[in-house]
Amino acid sequence: MKRLYEKHPGGALCGACYALGLLLLLALHFAGFVQNRVAYSNGTLAHAELSVDDFELREMVETEDGMLVATGGDPQMLLLDKERRVENVYMEVGYSLPHRQQMALWTPAGADYDIRALAYAKDQDGGTVFWLPAAGGQSLRIDPTSVPGNVMEIRRIEINRPRPFYAFFIFTPDEWLLLGVLPALAASGIELLRQGVGALRRRKAGDAA
Amino acid sequence: MSAGILITFAALVAVALLLAERGINSAAAPLAAVCATVLFFTVLGFFGGLQAAGWLYHILALAAVGWLVWRWAVKKEKMPSLGIGFWFFVLGGLGIIVLLWAKQPMFFSWDEFSTWGTAAKLTKIYNVLYSNAPVGWPWAATQPPALANFTYFMQFWGREFSEWQMYAAYDILQFAAIAALLRPFEKKQWNIAAPVLVIALVTPFMLALYRIPMLVGVYLTSYSDIPLALLFAAALGCYFGAESKDAKSLLALYLVLPVLTLTKDLVGVALALVVAVLVLADMLLEKQDGGLKKRLLRAFGRFGLCAGGAVAAFGAWSVYLSVTLDVDRGNLGGGANLTMGQMPVMFLKEVFGSEKSEKFRQITGELVSLFFNGRITFLGTGLIVMGLCLGMIALAAFITKDAPLRRRCLLAGIFVPLGFVAYYVFMMMYYLYIFTDEQNLVGYERYVYPYYIGFFLLAVLLLAMAARRSRFVVEGKAAILLLCAVLCLRYATMVPSVYTLWGVDSSEFDDRREFAAAVDDITARLPEDSRTFIISSDDDGLKWFTYCYEFLPWQVDYSYGGGSVDGHFVVNEKLADGSVERHLVSPEDWAEYLIEQGCDTIFVDQADEAFIDAYGYLFSDGMREYVRGEENLYHVYIEGDGVRIEPFE
């Protein structure tokens, strides 16, 4: 280890910073997993099956036979129950037209919906799943389609299905970006300090002589 | 086939390695390779040999690989040391290919369909320079072909034109430009190179944007402006960051200037000439051995190579256009219809004469005010950006222990802003005499930010170079790191990642994929060599451009709909009160037009009642099948003097 540092000081320092960054990120995600399991055990998060009636509908209407029809290009299903925390949504929906983009947004603390707080749909068990942050959020909003005139048959909506262990360790693009950039900059900073201290020492030594 | 792009990228890297082996700085070698590739394809393209260029290039690259292996493995010669810039190019290029392949993004902006994407697709389909490929409408081919040709090279092995691979080609070119900025830093100076690299990657977001409307076209665009900006920055960096002034050190500069010229019409050559003049000024002021004559020769020799390359590239493209398309490039056309010689004269007359037109007053006033007050970047107004750059350069001049570098900082601090003034005046003329009154100051940001980005990155580079050997050892490095942190923070707060290539979900492009698939279904039914007339009543032009692009190689006529592009079909009459009344041409005239243009197919994207009322009777089914949603394709048969329009079976 010491030999490696002496031979490639920069590489060793960068490598150490990247390893540390990765460990830190994994630790954070593990903490999220623990928090999630605690929330399930104390009932903050609870698995439940919902029906369309639990949602407030925007830019879409419900027909007599229980179908939903998108009346605009941005139909939304809002779950405005402030008490209820949601960490994932599972849906099985039949569409009359291509559904195009499906996503779920949530507000962490009753603020406005933010484009930074969203989850895209992933296919799972023949349906669609949205994974929000493990701690869960409030005021869920689901955009099931972006095609006006789409007729949807909602067959199933579940929230807070226990998610598989690996799903707690999927990094977001932002996290990957941080992991790519921050360690290199941190290493540059550490190297800078080292050089600064070295220069100061040399100057002191020079003064003494 | 997606693996094809890996082959071309490998060939490109081989050429870069060859250049590095021949003594070109390894960080600048990828840029030199990219530019040499662009020029190789463009020159052979002038003579109709684009496809031959592709084969020849790969044979040469293979020979280069063989030679390198022989040197390094058989003769055991020492490999050149490959710096951080080189490795960034190789790993970044591979990374971006994988990222784009995983997301398969598609075009999403107007000019990707109307100009850049269509040009590249035409090049790919017909294996000729795009200006000589057939299009079904009066295509004004003035944009030079560098980017389309580089895209052609990158997807040489692909069977069909691929949009994500066009993005990949642009990104690889841009990464090569960014890599070249790292040339002054040795491996042990990695803690300067790392923040400089991050700054360079973030700068286009900071200076080319001021709001995030939707998807961000940085590293996810086929517009020419950001590649132009980074090539301009790289050209500056290739001179100011060069180890010495010999031919090997400046090769990348000599290669990048013609490519810069061929990247965007007029703007490219203007920026290239700014660089050439800077080189001349620096060479003249440099302390050198030898007499005056020798010094002048040296300076003007370098200047000649820089300016000559740019002018030759510009001239070659102009001549090519005039020979093959009979386009007079001397005539600028546009609003005032002046020639290149008349434009500056006219401008000077207005500046110094007593009679100034209303348009002159308005445009010059607005442009000056935009510089001081227009917040067109995430860092603030043009004034603030210029101030930041000058501040960094002043700091660099102050802290460096390197006398030549200090002199260069002074020079850059004076001449680059002067170049900006010249460029701004050039832009003024552009808006005054080439753009029509309705266009006003359209695209203003896209004309100025290439200069801001170039100057900003030059300032960063000078500061970073000063940081290598500075008065208090670390203050320069600290400044670079601080700047990097500030820009990253600004990026994190201003740019939501779902709107960037990095964070966007592939489903964002679902509607485009659907559109493309729908057009494929249509074209599958079309006879070969068919020419289609499209009816799209509610279109503002974007849909029509998109259809033209998607239909290729099937030809689409100028057609109906599309707002201002409907040309022959809708007659706009300006009434006395200034309002515009639209008249449809008579059905007889339309029928005549269809015959004249040779349209044998009609595709009804969307027809409103006005259209059906006016022209429905020309259709044998009275457009009933369209209204019922059963058919949207119609045959056009010539019958006597008129036409018979029947639904497809």
mmCIF file of all heavy atoms in Angstrom, chain B residues 267-288:
data_model
loop_
_atom_site.group_PDB
_atom_site.id
_atom_site.type_symbol
_atom_site.label_atom_id
_atom_site.label_comp_id
_atom_site.label_asym_id
_atom_site.label_seq_id
_atom_site.Cartn_x
_atom_site.Cartn_y
_atom_site.Cartn_z
ATOM 1 N N VAL B 267 -20.090 32.447 -39.376
ATOM 2 C CA VAL B 267 -19.633 32.574 -37.997
ATOM 3 C C VAL B 267 -18.327 31.820 -37.790
ATOM 4 O O VAL B 267 -17.400 32.320 -37.136
ATOM 5 C CB VAL B 267 -20.697 32.027 -37.029
ATOM 6 C CG1 VAL B 267 -20.254 32.204 -35.611
ATOM 7 C CG2 VAL B 267 -22.023 32.705 -37.269
ATOM 8 N N GLY B 268 -18.246 30.637 -38.385
ATOM 9 C CA GLY B 268 -17.052 29.808 -38.217
ATOM 10 C C GLY B 268 -15.814 30.513 -38.735
ATOM 11 O O GLY B 268 -14.785 30.593 -38.040
ATOM 12 N N VAL B 269 -15.898 31.079 -39.925
ATOM 13 C CA VAL B 269 -14.724 31.721 -40.498
ATOM 14 C C VAL B 269 -14.372 32.981 -39.712
ATOM 15 O O VAL B 269 -13.197 33.298 -39.519
ATOM 16 C CB VAL B 269 -14.918 31.998 -42.015
ATOM 17 C CG1 VAL B 269 -15.877 33.128 -42.281
ATOM 18 C CG2 VAL B 269 -13.578 32.296 -42.676
ATOM 19 N N ALA B 270 -15.386 33.671 -39.199
ATOM 20 C CA ALA B 270 -15.115 34.869 -38.397
ATOM 21 C C ALA B 270 -14.317 34.507 -37.150
ATOM 22 O O ALA B 270 -13.304 35.143 -36.825
ATOM 23 C CB ALA B 270 -16.429 35.544 -38.010
ATOM 24 N N LEU B 271 -14.752 33.446 -36.447
ATOM 25 C CA LEU B 271 -14.037 33.027 -35.239
ATOM 26 C C LEU B 271 -12.628 32.554 -35.573
ATOM 27 O O LEU B 271 -11.663 32.855 -34.863
ATOM 28 C CB LEU B 271 -14.814 31.915 -34.519
ATOM 29 C CG LEU B 271 -16.147 32.346 -33.894
ATOM 30 C CD1 LEU B 271 -16.861 31.143 -33.294
ATOM 31 C CD2 LEU B 271 -15.934 33.397 -32.818
ATOM 32 N N ALA B 272 -12.488 31.822 -36.689
ATOM 33 C CA ALA B 272 -11.170 31.321 -37.072
ATOM 34 C C ALA B 272 -10.221 32.485 -37.356
ATOM 35 O O ALA B 272 -9.042 32.447 -36.988
ATOM 36 C CB ALA B 272 -11.288 30.409 -38.294
ATOM 37 N N LEU B 273 -10.750 33.534 -37.980
ATOM 38 C CA LEU B 273 -9.896 34.682 -38.281
ATOM 39 C C LEU B 273 -9.503 35.436 -37.015
ATOM 40 O O LEU B 273 -8.389 35.960 -36.910
ATOM 41 C CB LEU B 273 -10.581 35.610 -39.286
ATOM 42 C CG LEU B 273 -10.673 35.008 -40.702
ATOM 43 C CD1 LEU B 273 -11.433 35.918 -41.647
ATOM 44 C CD2 LEU B 273 -9.284 34.710 -41.268
ATOM 45 N N VAL B 274 -10.408 35.476 -36.041
ATOM 46 C CA VAL B 274 -10.055 36.093 -34.751
ATOM 47 C C VAL B 274 -8.850 35.365 -34.160
ATOM 48 O O VAL B 274 -7.880 35.985 -33.698
ATOM 49 C CB VAL B 274 -11.253 36.054 -33.773
ATOM 50 C CG1 VAL B 274 -10.799 36.378 -32.365
ATOM 51 C CG2 VAL B 274 -12.336 37.021 -34.218
ATOM 52 N N VAL B 275 -8.895 34.025 -34.195
ATOM 53 C CA VAL B 275 -7.776 33.245 -33.654
ATOM 54 C C VAL B 275 -6.496 33.562 -34.435
ATOM 55 O O VAL B 275 -5.425 33.778 -33.842
ATOM 56 C CB VAL B 275 -8.081 31.725 -33.724
ATOM 57 C CG1 VAL B 275 -6.887 30.928 -33.233
ATOM 58 C CG2 VAL B 275 -9.307 31.401 -32.900
ATOM 59 N N ALA B 276 -6.618 33.626 -35.770
ATOM 60 C CA ALA B 276 -5.432 33.868 -36.593
ATOM 61 C C ALA B 276 -4.799 35.217 -36.246
ATOM 62 O O ALA B 276 -3.568 35.323 -36.120
ATOM 63 C CB ALA B 276 -5.813 33.818 -38.071
ATOM 64 N N VAL B 277 -5.621 36.238 -36.053
ATOM 65 C CA VAL B 277 -5.091 37.566 -35.729
ATOM 66 C C VAL B 277 -4.422 37.544 -34.354
ATOM 67 O O VAL B 277 -3.368 38.150 -34.150
ATOM 68 C CB VAL B 277 -6.213 38.622 -35.789
ATOM 69 C CG1 VAL B 277 -5.730 39.950 -35.241
ATOM 70 C CG2 VAL B 277 -6.697 38.780 -37.222
ATOM 71 N N LEU B 278 -5.025 36.811 -33.408
ATOM 72 C CA LEU B 278 -4.414 36.679 -32.082
ATOM 73 C C LEU B 278 -3.033 36.045 -32.181
ATOM 74 O O LEU B 278 -2.081 36.483 -31.519
ATOM 75 C CB LEU B 278 -5.284 35.781 -31.199
ATOM 76 C CG LEU B 278 -6.359 36.451 -30.377
ATOM 77 C CD1 LEU B 278 -7.225 35.386 -29.732
ATOM 78 C CD2 LEU B 278 -5.716 37.308 -29.306
ATOM 79 N N VAL B 279 -2.936 35.014 -33.006
ATOM 80 C CA VAL B 279 -1.654 34.333 -33.189
ATOM 81 C C VAL B 279 -0.631 35.327 -33.727
ATOM 82 O O VAL B 279 0.503 35.416 -33.232
ATOM 83 C CB VAL B 279 -1.808 33.131 -34.149
ATOM 84 C CG1 VAL B 279 -0.451 32.583 -34.560
ATOM 85 C CG2 VAL B 279 -2.640 32.044 -33.494
ATOM 86 N N LEU B 280 -1.037 36.112 -34.719
ATOM 87 C CA LEU B 280 -0.130 37.089 -35.316
ATOM 88 C C LEU B 280 0.344 38.097 -34.258
ATOM 89 O O LEU B 280 1.548 38.349 -34.120
ATOM 90 C CB LEU B 280 -0.834 37.825 -36.463
ATOM 91 C CG LEU B 280 -0.006 38.918 -37.133
ATOM 92 C CD1 LEU B 280 1.193 38.312 -37.852
ATOM 93 C CD2 LEU B 280 -0.851 39.732 -38.113
ATOM 94 N N ALA B 281 -0.617 38.621 -33.493
ATOM 95 C CA ALA B 281 -0.263 39.624 -32.483
ATOM 96 C C ALA B 281 0.716 39.045 -31.480
ATOM 97 O O ALA B 281 1.718 39.666 -31.111
ATOM 98 C CB ALA B 281 -1.524 40.121 -31.786
ATOM 99 N N ASP B 282 0.450 37.812 -31.020
ATOM 100 C CA ASP B 282 1.309 37.190 -30.030
ATOM 101 C C ASP B 282 2.703 36.944 -30.581
ATOM 102 O O ASP B 282 3.713 37.201 -29.914
ATOM 103 C CB ASP B 282 0.676 35.881 -29.562
ATOM 104 C CG ASP B 282 1.481 35.239 -28.454
ATOM 105 O OD1 ASP B 282 1.520 35.833 -27.362
ATOM 106 O OD2 ASP B 282 2.099 34.192 -28.684
ATOM 107 N N MET B 283 2.746 36.463 -31.819
ATOM 108 C CA MET B 283 4.056 36.168 -32.420
ATOM 109 C C MET B 283 4.865 37.446 -32.599
ATOM 110 O O MET B 283 6.079 37.443 -32.439
ATOM 111 C CB MET B 283 3.880 35.482 -33.779
ATOM 112 C CG MET B 283 3.286 34.100 -33.745
ATOM 113 S SD MET B 283 4.322 32.828 -33.007
ATOM 114 C CE MET B 283 5.683 32.732 -34.130
ATOM 115 N N LEU B 284 4.194 38.535 -32.953
ATOM 116 C CA LEU B 284 4.915 39.795 -33.171
ATOM 117 C C LEU B 284 5.477 40.351 -31.873
ATOM 118 O O LEU B 284 6.545 40.946 -31.835
ATOM 119 C CB LEU B 284 3.982 40.828 -33.817
ATOM 120 C CG LEU B 284 3.681 40.616 -35.298
ATOM 121 C CD1 LEU B 284 2.685 41.646 -35.792
ATOM 122 C CD2 LEU B 284 4.961 40.680 -36.123
ATOM 123 N N LEU B 285 4.746 40.154 -30.787
ATOM 124 C CA LEU B 285 5.165 40.729 -29.516
ATOM 125 C C LEU B 285 6.120 39.827 -28.747
ATOM 126 O O LEU B 285 6.647 40.208 -27.708
ATOM 127 C CB LEU B 285 3.939 41.024 -28.654
ATOM 128 C CG LEU B 285 3.045 42.134 -29.214
ATOM 129 C CD1 LEU B 285 1.773 42.252 -28.396
ATOM 130 C CD2 LEU B 285 3.795 43.464 -29.213
ATOM 131 N N GLU B 286 6.305 38.609 -29.275
ATOM 132 C CA GLU B 286 7.122 37.650 -28.540
ATOM 133 C C GLU B 286 8.596 38.022 -28.601
ATOM 134 O O GLU B 286 9.086 38.494 -29.624
ATOM 135 C CB GLU B 286 6.918 36.263 -29.139
ATOM 136 C CG GLU B 286 7.448 35.161 -28.267
ATOM 137 C CD GLU B 286 7.207 33.817 -28.926
ATOM 138 O OE1 GLU B 286 7.242 33.752 -30.162
ATOM 139 O OE2 GLU B 286 6.993 32.860 -28.200
ATOM 140 N N LYS B 287 9.274 37.796 -27.499
ATOM 141 C CA LYS B 287 10.738 37.979 -27.494
ATOM 142 C C LYS B 287 11.353 36.819 -28.248
ATOM 143 O O LYS B 287 11.128 35.663 -27.923
ATOM 144 C CB LYS B 287 11.247 37.958 -26.052
ATOM 145 C CG LYS B 287 11.145 39.289 -25.366
ATOM 146 C CD LYS B 287 12.144 39.348 -24.221
ATOM 147 C CE LYS B 287 11.908 40.604 -23.413
ATOM 148 N NZ LYS B 287 11.466 40.321 -22.059
ATOM 149 N N GLN B 288 12.092 37.116 -29.288
ATOM 150 C CA GLN B 288 12.687 36.041 -30.076
ATOM 151 C C GLN B 288 14.107 36.403 -30.449
ATOM 152 O O GLN B 288 14.482 37.562 -30.462
ATOM 153 C CB GLN B 288 11.909 35.824 -31.372
ATOM 154 C CG GLN B 288 10.549 35.247 -31.178
ATOM 155 C CD GLN B 288 9.795 35.237 -32.479
ATOM 156 O OE1 GLN B 288 10.368 35.468 -33.528
ATOM 157 N NE2 GLN B 288 8.525 35.002 -32.397
#
